Amino acid sequence: MNAVLKSAAGADRSTREWQAADAAHYLHPFTDFKALADKGSRVIAQAGNIYLWDSEGHRLLDAMSGLWCVNVGYGRKELIEAATRQLTDLPFYNSFFQTATKPAIELAELLSEVTPPQFKHVFFSGSGSEGNDTVVRMVRRYWDVLGQPERTVIISRHNAYHGSTMAGASLGGMSGMHAQGGLPIPGITHIGQPFWFELGQGTHSAPLAPDAERASRDDFGLKAAGWLEAKIIEVGADKVAAFIGEPVQGAGGVIVPPETYWPEIQRICDKYGILLVSDEVICGFGRTGHWFGCERFGFRPDLMTFAKGVTSGYIPLGGVMVGERIARVLIEQGGEFNHGYTYSGHPVACAVALENIRVIQREGLVEKVRDVLGPYLAEQFAALASHPLVGEVQTCGLMGAVQIVQDKATARSFDSNLEVGMLCRSHCFANGLIMRAVGDRMIIAPPLVITRDQIDDMMALIRRCLDLTLADVLRNGWI
Ligand SMILES: *Cc1c(COP(=O)(O)O)cnc(C)c1O
């Protein structure tokens, strides 16, 4: 821990000076500006493999892969060289003027190979949020071309995260985001999330036996999927255009749905003929131990949004995989689609994505997560369940969640004002681990190149931070 920064990056100014300049000029995303200015931000200066170094030379194990994206790890020469080559040959050209660039064409081709068979076409954007804006435009366009323009309503879920543009935040189910900006935009409505721990287990006087818990989760999965059918009937089946969901809710807290959930969602979408959209911005490109989350959970989306892991975050890129059901209609009957972005198919971003996907293929990262790392992480997390603060653990591939509770036996949560999750997160930062807190749910999504030894190191840090949090809680008399 606390290895000294190997180069003099940032040594031209002290950390205090960087923080002052930051506070004076830089408004950070999803941040209380005043609170951060008072405290000063942590300045991240360098990275390699799964580690970051801050401007003070502290080493941090990045168990969040940046922001769910640096899947092949930091400092990959292949990606840096791919970007440099493309910057030299052709740093930018658009795809608006009946033109295209070679990396964009090649990436479209490769994406149609690695995605499920219904996908042969892609529409590029600059981010996941923009990708979901494209989804809204495209599903409404699809139904319009088919002569059903009244089919406009898109159903999503509470506590979903689909980005931060007006359409992305509207599709998302974050009440705090809706409150600031008069969202959602018209024609978007939400149902409950498949979060068994919070909504499904009821109040038990004692934890359920494993078989009873599994049955309870499976029943709840069908019930939560049933909320979609109820909403379709409430809205009117002939008004519903699509349903959108993340295979595993990421930013909402790594909420892994019961196994029964997605097959039942698929059945309902098929029954009413509505489009099914999988937001794969986090789950895509190996995170779940499958190329895409829909393959892990056994459903067949008509559209898939992707971003983050497509370039391992080295450069921004997003997009939407368009299933043949939609592509055929738009291509054969559609006329002009009045939508696109300056950076749709940006050649440098596409060149980096191409190389990133080749790294994933060459190193067998998807299979490694499925067969080795995912099962190992699951085992390690299961062992955390006996910790006095832990009410539930869940993993899916290389994503994990630890639900902190006040009372293990009844799964009662702490008063949210105590911010126990934030307390735990502070201990993580201070001990060289980046773990995120969603309320009192602690989550990780480490790079797919993490080793078993590094997972052991990470688990030791997680345990230490849970113990430190427990000590605080006991000292404060909160248990
Ligand atoms: C991060 C995220 C987005 C938004 O992507 P941006 O690149 O931040 O716009 C959309 N959907 C999901 C599931 C995400 O996790």
Side-chain angles (χ1 to χ4, degrees), residues 401-414:
V402 178
Q403 182 81 43
I404 294 178
V405 291
Q406 183 179 37
D407 182 352
K408 256 180 117 69
T410 59
R412 189 176 63 240
S413 306
F414 283 100

Side-chain angles (χ1 to χ4, degrees), residues 67-68 126-130 132 161-164 246 250-251 279-282 305 307-308:
L67 207 44
W68 320 88
S127 68
S129 303
E130 289 177 4
N132 283 326
Y161 189 77
H162 296 297
S164 200
E246 305 152 80
D279 184 337
E280 299 270 355
V281 171
I282 286 175
T305 318
K308 294 190 173 120

Side-chain angles (χ1 to χ4, degrees), residues 67-72 280-282 284-285 306-313 317 353 356-357 360:
L67 207 44
W68 320 88
C69 47
V70 188
N71 290 353
V72 300
E280 299 270 355
V281 171
I282 286 175
F285 302 98
F306 64 87
K308 294 190 173 120
V310 68
T311 56
S312 283
L317 179 71
N356 177 63
I357 294 170
I360 295 172

Side-chain angles (χ1 to χ4, degrees), residues 380-387 433 458-468:
Q380 299 303 307
F381 259 56
L384 277 183
S386 59
H387 192 278
L433 172 68
M458 176 180 78
M459 294 310 301
L461 289 170
I462 291 174
R463 252 179 209 289
R464 183 193 304 171
C465 296
L466 284 172
D467 288 344
L468 290 167

Side-chain angles (χ1 to χ4, degrees), residues 139-140 142-144 146 148 150-155 228-229 232-233 236-244 264-277 300-303 325-326 329:
V139 301
R140 290 178 176 167
Y142 167 80
W143 288 114
D144 194 27
L146 283 183
Q148 299 183 54
E150 67 288 353
R151 273 209 195 240
T152 55
V153 175
I154 302 173
I155 301 174
L228 173 60
E229 186 155 28
I232 291 170
I233 291 164
D238 56 347
K239 305 254 181 334
V240 179
F243 173 75
I244 184 169
E264 181 65 2
I265 291 284
Q266 176 81 64
R267 189 190 68 76
I268 294 165
C269 288
D270 289 347
K271 178 175 171 188
Y272 295 95
I274 72 174
L275 297 171
L276 178 51
V277 187
R300 195 176 168 283
D302 300 296
L303 294 160
R325 171 181 175 186
I326 298 170
V329 169

